[in-house]
């Protein structure tokens, strides 16, 4: 098996933890990111300590051209990917829907939804047994927000994750016969920088008491679920969702 994984948005947070986790399991890793060159290089250095190959590729997943370049870079420098983790995602300052501009909504959808579709498309082209590929796995990173709706915070973001859930269901059925499994994780309140983008860096600590488990989650706890979905341990699982959200 070609143990090669692309993790979008893996210069920090859940993506970085996933890159490191998959490297520890012997995967060569492509660290994709948007702007933070230093953080991406740091993740590559850590990943390489597991004696695997690793590259970082700066590419905006909301751009069709850049996604094509991302996958071409992997073809040339690592080989045909076996795993794609669609992790990159964004949100903006907490707002009510009536305050949201079309520009903001479209940016969220372009990254969180279109970006996910574009990466799936490139991955499937390479993985599909119908095209002579060896199959593979796709794991989408959605959010508990898709079930809850994030009212008063970022309904645009929650709705984008609803689309990721539906993509997971439809795509899993579409490509099952081509040797590709498609699954999804739905994290809850995880300690990462993302909450800063929403204007509330300490959001997890404010909300953790409302969870049955009474604490926020760590990126590594999400990475563990992703790792199971990538592994052959989940070989009969497709079109499925793992809630990594402390019981809510
Ligand atoms: P994060 O710490 O903010 O990291 C986001 C990552 O995505 C960074 O590596 C960033 O690159 C990259 N990125 C952003 N826009 C991109 C683009 N257009 N193209 C390529 N890369 C891009 O976020 P996180 O909290 O780890 O979140 C990861 C995923 O988990 C997201 O899909 C998020 O929606 C989901 N999630 C998170 C939580 C949570 O509580 N943290 C909960 C539920 C779901 P740069 O560093 O270069 O900007």
């Amino acid at each position: 098996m070609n143990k090669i994984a692309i993790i979008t948005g893996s210069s920090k947070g859940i993506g970085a933890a996933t890159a490191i986790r998959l490297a520890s399991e012997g995967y060569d890793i492509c660290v994709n990111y948007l702007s933070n060159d230093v953080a991406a290089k740091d993740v590559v250095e850590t990943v390489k300590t597991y004696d695997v190959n690793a590259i970082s590729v700066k590419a905006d997943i909301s751009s069709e051209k850049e996604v094509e370049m991302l996958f071409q870079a992997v073809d040339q420098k690592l080989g045909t990917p076996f795993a794609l983790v669609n992790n990159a995602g964004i949100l903006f300052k907490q707002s009510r829907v009536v305050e949201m501009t079309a520009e903001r909504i479209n940016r969220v959808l372009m990254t969180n939804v279109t970006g996910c579709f574009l990466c799936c498309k490139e991955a499937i082209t390479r993985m599909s047994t119908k095209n002579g590929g060896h199959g593979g796995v796709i794991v989408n990173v959605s959010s508990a927000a898709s079930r809850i709706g994030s009212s008063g915070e970022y309904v645009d973001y929650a709705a984008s994750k609803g689309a990721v859930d539906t993509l997971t269901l439809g795509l899993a059925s579409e490509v099952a016969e081509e040797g590709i499994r498609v699954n999804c994780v739905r994290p809850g309140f995880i300690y990462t920088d993302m909450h800063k983008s929403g204007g509330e860096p300490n959001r997890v600590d404010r909300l953790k008491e409302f969870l049955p488990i009474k604490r926020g989650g760590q990126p590594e706890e999400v990475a563990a679920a992703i790792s199971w979905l990538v592994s052959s341990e989940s070989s009969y699982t497709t079109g499925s969702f793992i809630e990594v959200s402390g019981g809510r």
Side-chain angles (χ1 to χ4, degrees), residues 8-16 32-37 39 59-62 86-91 111-112 141-145 157 161 185-195 197 203-204 219 222:
T8 66
S10 49
S11 55
K12 59 184 180 175
I14 293 167
N32 157 253
Y33 66 106
L34 180 64
S35 58
N36 196 335
D37 305 304
D60 180 349
I61 57 150
S62 69
N86 277 313
N87 167 78
I90 56 167
L91 50 73
T111 300
N112 297 6
V141 181
S142 173
S143 170
Y157 168 81
K161 295 301 187 177
V185 296
R186 284 194 286 234
F189 305 137
I190 311 298
Y191 288 103
T192 73
D193 285 351
M194 173 168 261
H195 306 284
S197 315
R203 178 172 175 266
V204 175
V222 184

Side-chain angles (χ1 to χ4, degrees), residues 19-135:
I20 294 163
R21 172 74 189 233
L22 292 181
S24 78
E25 289 160 7
Y27 281 85
D28 292 341
I29 299 290
C30 171
V31 173
N32 157 253
Y33 66 106
L34 180 64
S35 58
N36 196 335
D37 305 304
V38 175
K41 285 206 168 58
D42 283 351
V43 177
V44 166
E45 288 316 308
T46 307
V47 157
K48 282 183 172 168
T49 63
Y50 291 95
D51 223 13
V52 297
N53 289 329
I55 57 169
S56 58
V57 181
K58 184 175 188 161
D60 180 349
I61 57 150
S62 69
S63 153
E64 191 164 24
K65 218 183 195 88
E66 293 192 30
V67 170
E68 285 168 9
M69 282 164 42
L70 164 65
F71 278 78
Q72 281 161 12
V74 174
D75 289 340
Q76 284 159 17
K77 294 178 185 158
L78 295 177
T80 306
F82 173 77
L84 165 67
V85 182
N86 277 313
N87 167 78
I90 56 167
L91 50 73
F92 293 109
K93 200 170 172 304
Q94 291 166 341
S95 309
R96 286 164 50 84
V97 170
V98 290
E99 296 158 348
M100 291 178 190
T101 61
E103 193 207 342
R104 164 186 165 140
I105 297 163
N106 288 337
R107 278 184 67 191
V108 169
L109 295 177
M110 284 290 286
T111 300
N112 297 6
V113 183
T114 308
C116 194
F117 270 82
L118 293 173
C119 290
C120 286
K121 189 179 141 184
E122 291 301 317
I124 289 162
T125 305
R126 289 160 174 80
M127 294 171 179
S128 173
T129 51
K130 277 195 184 156
N131 297 340
H134 300 293

Side-chain angles (χ1 to χ4, degrees), residues 92-244:
F92 293 109
K93 200 170 172 304
Q94 291 166 341
S95 309
R96 286 164 50 84
V97 170
V98 290
E99 296 158 348
M100 291 178 190
T101 61
E103 193 207 342
R104 164 186 165 140
I105 297 163
N106 288 337
R107 278 184 67 191
V108 169
L109 295 177
M110 284 290 286
T111 300
N112 297 6
V113 183
T114 308
C116 194
F117 270 82
L118 293 173
C119 290
C120 286
K121 189 179 141 184
E122 291 301 317
I124 289 162
T125 305
R126 289 160 174 80
M127 294 171 179
S128 173
T129 51
K130 277 195 184 156
N131 297 340
H134 300 293
V137 296
I138 297 174
V139 181
N140 295 326
V141 181
S142 173
S143 170
S146 74
R147 295 185 279 106
I148 293 162
S150 303
S151 55
E153 292 194 314
Y154 14 71
V155 174
D156 52 349
Y157 168 81
S160 76
K161 295 301 187 177
V164 170
D165 290 357
T166 307
L167 165 65
T168 303
L169 288 172
L171 188 63
S173 297
E174 202 167 286
V175 298
E177 278 187 279
E178 298 171 48
I180 304 169
R181 296 186 297 110
V182 185
N183 290 293
C184 189
V185 296
R186 284 194 286 234
F189 305 137
I190 311 298
Y191 288 103
T192 73
D193 285 351
M194 173 168 261
H195 306 284
K196 253 191 246 164
S197 315
E200 190 186 357
N202 297 324
R203 178 172 175 266
V204 175
D205 283 331
R206 174 173 64 84
L207 294 170
K208 65 184 180 187
E209 294 309 318
F210 297 103
L211 297 174
I213 212 164
K214 301 288 180 211
R215 67 171 179 86
Q218 296 298 333
E220 291 74 17
E221 295 178 287
V222 184
I226 294 171
S227 152
W228 183 75
L229 289 171
V230 168
S231 79
S232 58
E233 295 293 306
S234 62
S235 52
Y236 199 55
T237 300
T238 195
S240 288
F241 297 81
I242 300 183
E243 313 296 338
V244 192

